[in-house]
Amino acid sequence: MTGTVIVRYRAGVVGETQRQVHLSTLDDSGTTPTEWRTHCGIGIPAEQAEVAELPAGMPCLPCLMRSPDLREAATGNAATIDSPTRGD
């Protein structure tokens, strides 16, 4: 299975201000990595990581900016976005 995984440090491992929600890409090997390599470049050891299905907590901005899904959405044609017309 491949895809983006939400990961952060477990409670008690680091201070609450460092428990940002990071994004990581799971490869198709089917095994849990020994270290979660995040999109922003840090490595969170698997035994210190909390993996979630839904985001919960403060997101890591560099991870969001480097997310492949968001990059693809940002390169789309802005003219195709459905928005209300202005009454000028």
Side-chain angles (χ1 to χ4, degrees):
M1 176 180 131
T2 60
T4 302
V5 178
I6 300 161
V7 63
R8 69 178 177 175
Y9 283 101
R10 290 187 187 278
V13 174
V14 295
E16 283 299 310
T17 58
Q18 295 178 318
R19 292 189 66 223
Q20 293 178 317
V21 176
H22 295 276
L23 301 175
S24 182
T25 302
L26 186 63
D27 63 20
D28 38 347
S29 68
T31 60
T32 302
T34 57
E35 178 182 74
W36 291 98
R37 203 74 187 146
T38 66
H39 292 186
C40 69
I42 67 167
I44 301 176
E47 66 275 1
Q48 296 178 356
E50 171 182 290
V51 180
E53 293 181 20
L54 297 172
M58 182 65 164
C60 170
L61 186 57
C63 276
L64 289 175
M65 293 174 63
R66 291 179 177 99
S67 172
D69 296 334
L70 293 177
R71 277 199 313 260
E72 289 172 14
T75 59
N77 185 349
T80 63
I81 297 173
D82 187 21
S83 61
T85 57
R86 293 177 45 186
D88 292 328

